[in-house]
Amino acid sequence: MTDRNYRTLLGLLILVALYFNLDWLMIGLIVVLIAESITNLRIPRLICMLRNCALKEQRFVYADAAELQSPRFSIEAERVWRFVVGSFLMLGFIYIDLLWFFPWFMGFAIFGAGLSGVCPVLLAIRWLGFK
């Protein structure tokens, strides 16, 4: 499983949880995202380790090659992305009366990012200087 497939599945699960009002699924997704960001044990890596496959690291083209050589922060961008998505989903889940549109927007955006392979939030996190 690649990170792209993971994003597609995650976006789809968020939308299913919201459409059918499955609070337990949404809480489970939030817990998994926060746990992945804290421990850095990501589901795509674990599945790949179980299947003994080689996981290809995605490389993005930067305007400045120096940014690719020396990131400002030593934390992986995927790890930060999982924390950001989990915390914003939790915020939208807690304040559902005020921010009801926020989890829906995130679900469609993550699903679209999985299908297209371009995640603007992940690109912004990498632009900030994370690995």
Side-chain angles (χ1 to χ4, degrees):
M1 173 181 268
T2 62
D3 286 327
R4 184 175 173 180
N5 293 341
Y6 178 76
R7 280 189 207 98
T8 306
L9 182 63
L10 179 67
L12 186 65
L13 287 175
I14 290 170
L15 293 174
V16 166
L18 290 169
Y19 184 75
F20 292 111
N21 201 18
L22 301 173
D23 292 341
W24 57 271
L25 180 58
M26 184 61 80
I27 292 170
L29 291 173
I30 292 168
V31 167
V32 165
L33 284 168
I34 298 295
E36 281 182 344
S37 68
I38 292 172
T39 63
N40 204 22
L41 295 174
R42 300 187 317 211
I43 290 176
R45 278 189 186 172
L46 294 175
I47 290 175
C48 204
M49 285 172 38
L50 291 174
R51 294 177 58 194
N52 292 328
C53 63
L55 187 64
K56 295 178 184 176
E57 291 294 326
Q58 295 178 351
R59 294 286 180 197
F60 291 92
V61 178
Y62 291 93
D64 187 12
E67 288 183 20
L68 186 60
Q69 298 286 331
S70 60
R72 282 183 251 173
F73 306 104
S74 62
I75 301 172
E76 293 180 6
E78 285 285 337
R79 192 173 184 179
V80 175
W81 181 84
R82 281 166 167 72
F83 183 76
V84 167
V85 169
S87 60
F88 278 112
L89 278 177
M90 184 171 43
L91 183 70
F93 185 72
I94 291 172
Y95 298 112
I96 194 71
D97 293 334
L98 296 174
L99 301 173
W100 61 269
F101 60 91
F102 202 66
W104 282 98
F105 175 75
M106 288 184 65
F108 281 115
I110 293 169
F111 183 68
L115 291 178
S116 69
V118 177
C119 182
V121 174
L122 187 60
L123 291 176
I125 290 171
R126 290 195 175 149
W127 179 78
L128 288 174
F130 293 94
K131 288 199 265 189

